[in-house]
Amino acid sequence: ERDPEMRQTKKGNQWHFGMKGHIGVDSKTKLIHSVVATGANVHDSQVLPDLLHGQETRYWGDSAYIGQRQAARSKAPKVRDFTNCRATRSHPL
């Protein structure tokens, strides 16, 4: 019997079924402070507020977290965004 919390998603031309783990880590101590498990169909950026504890001054992420500054500031007012930029044809990384 399938677990009702697991979902499927398609990336490229391949289907994936299961769950994803999202982890919040302190950048100085390297300790994990939050873990969120979601279905495979949930985008990474949707769980950003759940990964913050509120005392952060900075957060890093891959390009999936671009445009999430307001969501992060609602949870941690003093946080600064250090997410990676997306590359384009005219502006490679």
Side-chain angles (χ1 to χ4, degrees), residues 3-30:
D3 186 346
E5 293 182 14
M6 292 192 186
R7 297 284 189 260
Q8 63 185 14
T9 186
K10 188 175 184 181
K11 184 173 184 178
N13 201 22
Q14 186 175 6
W15 285 92
H16 300 277
F17 178 79
M19 298 185 80
K20 290 193 287 188
H22 309 273
I23 301 170
V25 179
D26 186 85
S27 64
K28 291 183 182 177
T29 63
K30 310 297 189 250

Side-chain angles (χ1 to χ4, degrees), residues 3 5-6 12-13 16 22 24-25 30 39 43 47-48 51 54 57 66 69 71 76 78 80-81 83 87 90 92:
D3 186 346
E5 293 182 14
M6 292 192 186
N13 201 22
H16 300 277
H22 309 273
V25 179
K30 310 297 189 250
H43 194 267
V47 295
L48 178 62
L51 296 176
T57 56
I66 291 176
R69 186 173 289 142
K78 297 179 181 179
R80 290 182 57 202
D81 182 7
T83 57
S90 59

Side-chain angles (χ1 to χ4, degrees), residues 47-87:
V47 295
L48 178 62
D50 299 330
L51 296 176
L52 301 175
H53 54 69
Q55 301 300 317
E56 290 89 0
T57 56
R58 301 174 183 188
Y59 76 95
W60 287 267
D62 61 7
S63 60
Y65 295 98
I66 291 176
Q68 296 298 312
R69 186 173 289 142
Q70 285 300 103
R73 288 238 170 121
S74 67
K75 183 75 180 228
K78 297 179 181 179
V79 74
R80 290 182 57 202
D81 182 7
F82 286 93
T83 57
N84 290 338
C85 298
R86 286 193 179 112

